[in-house]
């Protein structure tokens, strides 16, 4: 699954979360809960049924970095990791 991610380094540990098909706001809640527990030098790799623009608006100001890619119709992969200022 990591082929679609653009991560900051090759030695980043990936944590996986699949929230496809869950009704709002559950996907965003699960992602935020996972980010709160994400260890240093790790990235959260999320599979979701659409690009989560509202989630991006919430995490971008907090210094999270991210990449996203549409794999197929209604199938997105989002990679989120701590920004450079967080080490």
């Amino acid at each position: 699954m990591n082929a679609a991610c653009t991560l900051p380094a090759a030695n980043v540990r990936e944590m996986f979360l699949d929230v496809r098909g869950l009704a709002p706001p559950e996907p965003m809640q699960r992602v935020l809960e996972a980010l709160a527990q994400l260890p240093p030098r790790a990235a959260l790799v999320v599979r979701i049924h659409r690009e989560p623009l509202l989630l991006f608006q919430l995490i971008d100001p907090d210094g999270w970095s991210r990449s996203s890619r549409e794999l197929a119709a209604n199938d997105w992969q989002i990679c989120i990791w701590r920004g450079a200022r967080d080490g």
Side-chain angles (χ1 to χ4, degrees):
M1 196 158 52
N2 64 353
C5 284
T6 303
L7 296 174
N11 60 346
V12 171
R13 180 175 166 209
E14 295 176 335
M15 311 292 286
F16 297 95
L17 180 64
D18 189 339
V19 296
R20 290 176 286 181
L22 297 176
E26 195 169 359
M28 184 167 55
Q29 289 172 333
R30 288 194 183 186
V31 170
L32 292 174
E33 288 169 3
L35 289 176
Q37 298 177 21
L38 194 67
R41 308 271 322 134
L44 182 63
V45 180
V46 181
R47 291 288 294 271
I48 190 166
H49 54 279
R50 63 181 182 84
E51 190 172 25
L53 300 177
L54 179 57
L55 173 69
F56 295 160
Q57 291 175 3
L58 291 174
I59 67 171
D60 286 353
D62 289 335
W64 291 98
S65 296
R66 60 179 167 85
S67 66
S68 60
R69 180 176 178 190
E70 187 175 22
L71 302 174
N74 300 314
D75 188 8
W76 284 78
Q77 182 178 50
I78 314 298
C79 302
I80 306 169
W81 62 93
R82 296 181 194 286
R85 71 177 185 205
D86 296 325

